[in-house]
């Protein structure tokens, strides 16, 4: 039997410890049923904020860029911290006409056609790393595989030379880490600056000698006839790393952990009883690696009889919306064959994740490589949860793989 749900008034969603110490399933159900527009009160001088937990309300708010803005931050840490330094320049925290134009540029560089080569490399790398892990018996899937796939992918996308990729991976770990207690804010700040400086140099190089990578395409882009500045290009390169690294990594780790614990679902995948694309969507719904995003109210508006006033913060909780029984049949069941699957993992509306295609390619290639090279796998030790009020998942995952000789000995397997 599950533990009783903590009373809503005792749960502080601004505190990362809340997610480490509580099972919130019951709490979210209570909010969805009884308080769909819930007020998380101020704590220790930190501002209060609204909490939306129902799937439909989250969609409505994501769609509504008239009454809500992302320009004062789009996650609790920046919304509560007084704003985002990239506001009006970095895609995720830009609104209106400039957002529309900037998004067209990024959509172009992240389109399936342009990504064809990147997708092929994702496939080759994933297959090689899973094969090596299976042949050696096991590994820490989080550190040895999941950490490498998204950063290598984004580095290839941006045209980061192979010899710099490990250095950059190390810097992003320090800059963005939510799991390493030895990394303090000063180290993170320094690493963030070093990343920005690294990209500044790369932008200069590409201005002089353009290639066919995303940086070269951004450098050649303009909005309303005005070319993007070096700073605009750098900030948006950085946003691809922030947007695409940890989210994909945590999803892949959760995928392997969940499949190891559910042999029935694994067998359905292994026997080709479920389509990989359908499975990818369920993996995303289940992991919901970004627990929330947020907006600031710009015009007074009302939801379920609650008045939301200009300047107030509204947070949208995927962690709850993706388990909403009003939308999902048996939401607490991991079902790789689930259709339809209107999950919120990539958000919705004008800011819908611009990297969703790439993220899906990464997860699909992981599922296909597992299906081809192993007959099954088990978790052999504890998985270490990360500590955050924004992201959820694990930073370690020891796994033992059973090799599948038929798949390992076969020439490159079919895609689907
Ligand atoms: C936006 C989730 C992978 C780049 C978003 C948003 C969500 C999201 C929920 C909307 C944020 C908002 O409305 O404020 C995810 C998840 C991923 C993933 C769960 C992986 C499983 C990626 C990848 C990239 C990326 C691989 C880049 C290569 C971005 C960018 C935005 C964004 C640039 C801003 C879009 C805009 O504001 O128009 N992502 N993302 N994401 N994502 Fe992703």
């Amino acid at each position: 039997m599950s533990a009783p749900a903590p009373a809503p008034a005792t749960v502080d969603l601004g505190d990362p410890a809340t997610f480490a110490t509580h099972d919130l399933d019951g709490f979210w159900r209570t909010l969805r049923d009884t308080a769909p527009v819930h007020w998380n009160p101020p704590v220790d001088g930190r501002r209060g904020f609204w909490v939306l937990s129902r799937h439909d309300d989250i969609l409505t708010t994501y769609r509504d860029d008239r009454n809500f803005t992302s320009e004062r931050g789009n996650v609790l840490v920046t919304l509560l911290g007084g704003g985002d330094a990239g506001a009006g320049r970095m895609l995720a925290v830009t609104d209106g006409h400039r957002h529309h134009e900037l998004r067209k540029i990024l959509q172009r560089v992240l389109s399936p056609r342009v990504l064809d080569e990147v997708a092929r490399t994702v496939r080759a790398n994933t297959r090689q790393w899973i094969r090596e892990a299976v042949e050696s018996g096991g590994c820490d899937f989080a550190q040895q595989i999941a950490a490498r796939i998204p950063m290598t992918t984004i580095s290839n996308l941006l045209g980061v030379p192979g010899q710099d990729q490990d250095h950059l991976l190390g810097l992003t770990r320090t800059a963005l880490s939510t799991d390493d207690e030895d990394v303090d804010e000063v180290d993170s700040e320094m690493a963030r600056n070093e990343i920005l400086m690294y990209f500044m140099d790369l932008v200069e190089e590409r201005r002089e000698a353009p290639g066919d990578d995303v940086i070269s395409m951004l450098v050649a882009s303009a909005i309303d006839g005005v070319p993007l500045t070096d700073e605009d290009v750098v900030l948006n390169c950085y946003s691809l790393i922030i947007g695409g690294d940890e989210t994909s990594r945590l999803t892949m780790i959760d995928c392997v952990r969940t499949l190891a614990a559910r042999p029935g679902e694994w067998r359905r995948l292994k026997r080709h009883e479920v389509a990989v694309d359908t499975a990818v969507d369920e993996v995303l719904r289940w992991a919901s690696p970004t627990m929330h995003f947020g907006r600031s109210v710009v015009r007074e508006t009302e939801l379920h009889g609650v008045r939301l006033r200009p300047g107030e913060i509204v947070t949208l909780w995927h962690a709850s919306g993706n388990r909403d029984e009003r939308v999902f049949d048996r939401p607490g069941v991991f079902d790789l064959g689930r259709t339809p699957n209107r999950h919120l993992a990539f958000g919705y509306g004008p800011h819908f994740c611009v990297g969703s295609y790439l993220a899906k390619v990464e997860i699909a290639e992981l599922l296909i490589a597992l299906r081809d090279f192993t007959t099954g796998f088990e978790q052999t030790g504890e998985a270490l949860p990360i500590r955050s009020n924004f992201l959820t998942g694990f930073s370690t995952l020891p796994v033992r793989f059973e090799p599948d000789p038929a798949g390992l000995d076969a020439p490159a397997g079919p895609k689907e």
Side-chain angles (χ1 to χ4, degrees):
M1 223 172 71
S2 55
T10 66
V11 173
D12 174 17
L13 294 169
D15 181 358
T18 299
F19 303 90
T21 49
H22 288 82
D23 173 359
L24 294 177
D25 282 354
F27 162 78
W28 287 125
R29 195 171 317 113
T30 306
L31 287 200
R32 288 193 297 271
D33 289 345
T34 64
V37 186
H38 168 70
W39 178 248
N40 193 102
V43 177
D44 295 337
R46 191 220 303 133
R47 293 176 64 190
F49 52 90
W50 295 108
V51 173
L52 305 188
S53 49
R54 283 193 193 165
H55 188 279
D56 278 4
D57 295 335
I58 294 172
L59 288 191
T60 306
T61 309
Y62 266 136
R63 215 171 16 218
D64 183 357
D65 57 356
R66 227 182 83 79
N67 291 316
F68 301 98
T69 179
S70 297
E71 293 213 344
R72 296 176 205 156
N74 70 339
V75 291
L76 271 174
V77 68
T78 47
L79 285 161
L80 293 169
D84 191 308
R89 306 175 75 187
M90 207 191 256
L91 186 68
V93 283
T94 300
D95 279 328
H97 174 69
R98 192 167 177 83
H99 173 258
H100 185 75
E101 295 301 308
L102 194 54
R103 190 171 163 96
K104 276 204 295 203
I105 297 171
L106 278 154
Q107 257 170 339
R108 209 165 49 233
V109 302
L110 291 170
S111 72
R113 193 180 51 77
V114 176
L115 287 180
D116 197 44
E117 180 65 32
V118 174
R120 264 202 300 275
T121 313
V122 171
R123 178 173 175 75
N125 284 341
T126 308
R127 291 182 78 76
Q128 183 194 330
W129 294 331
I130 295 284
R131 176 187 280 275
E132 285 167 7
V134 171
E135 284 173 344
S136 69
C139 67
D140 182 334
F141 177 80
Q143 302 283 340
Q144 280 156 264
I145 300 180
R148 291 163 81 186
I149 296 174
M151 264 314 290
T152 313
T153 308
I154 297 168
S155 296
N156 288 334
L157 189 74
L158 296 174
V160 174
Q163 70 268 19
D164 294 351
Q165 292 192 3
D166 280 348
H167 173 62
L168 199 60
L169 180 61
L171 287 176
T172 55
R173 276 206 186 127
T174 310
L176 310 173
S177 176
T178 43
D179 52 45
D180 191 340
E181 286 181 3
D182 296 335
V183 176
D184 62 25
E185 198 29 53
V186 179
D187 294 336
S188 298
E189 186 70 40
M190 275 166 59
R192 277 197 289 272
N193 283 335
E194 214 175 311
I195 296 171
L196 293 174
M197 270 149 55
Y198 176 84
F199 280 116
M200 269 297 185
D201 289 344
L202 214 51
V203 167
E204 250 172 58
E205 277 174 33
R206 295 299 142 79
R207 274 205 195 283
E208 278 160 30
D212 59 358
D213 53 86
V214 166
I215 296 186
S216 301
M217 289 167 93
L218 290 175
V219 160
S221 301
I223 294 182
D224 300 331
V226 181
L228 295 186
T229 64
D230 285 3
E231 288 77 17
D232 289 337
V233 175
V234 167
L235 278 173
N236 283 289
C237 289
Y238 188 58
S239 90
L240 293 180
I241 294 184
I242 299 176
D245 177 33
E246 205 162 5
T247 47
S248 306
R249 173 149 48 98
L250 292 171
T251 307
M252 287 187 266
I253 297 166
D254 193 69
C255 170
V256 169
R257 182 171 172 271
T258 306
L259 282 174
R262 288 171 176 76
E265 287 307 293
W266 161 249
R267 272 195 299 276
R268 289 176 79 197
L269 179 75
K270 181 75 187 162
R271 292 176 184 160
H272 294 243
E273 288 166 14
V274 288
V276 170
D277 291 352
T278 310
V280 167
D281 277 315
E282 183 66 346
V283 164
L284 282 158
R285 182 187 77 91
W286 195 254
S288 298
T290 52
M291 287 190 287
H292 77 269
F293 272 98
R295 300 288 187 259
S296 297
V297 182
V298 280
R299 284 189 188 77
E300 185 162 312
T301 181
E302 212 177 273
L303 192 60
H304 297 293
V306 177
R307 199 156 290 181
L308 309 177
R309 296 194 162 81
E312 288 181 340
I313 296 169
V314 179
T315 53
L316 323 175
W317 290 83
H318 303 168
S320 174
N322 276 341
R323 298 286 188 278
D324 189 343
E325 39 296 282
R326 288 155 195 79
V327 172
F328 298 102
D329 181 29
R330 298 176 306 141
V333 175
F334 179 69
D335 170 7
L336 287 183
R338 182 182 292 278
T339 46
N341 192 341
R342 295 170 54 216
H343 68 77
L344 297 164
F346 293 127
Y348 192 69
H351 288 277
F352 180 83
C353 178
V354 81
S356 62
Y357 170 76
L358 195 54
K360 284 185 168 192
V361 167
E362 291 172 339
I363 301 162
E365 292 302 347
L366 169 65
L367 289 175
I368 294 168
L370 289 170
R371 192 178 68 182
D372 286 352
F373 295 148
T374 171
T375 54
F377 40 95
E378 61 173 338
Q379 187 179 332
T380 51
E382 218 185 315
L384 197 69
I386 61 164
R387 208 179 152 82
S388 167
N389 64 9
F390 168 49
L391 296 165
T392 181
F394 298 87
S395 60
T396 59
L397 185 68
V399 179
R400 194 177 64 79
F401 293 102
E402 282 300 329
D404 183 344
L408 289 167
D409 296 342
K415 179 148 174 31
E416 238 300 61

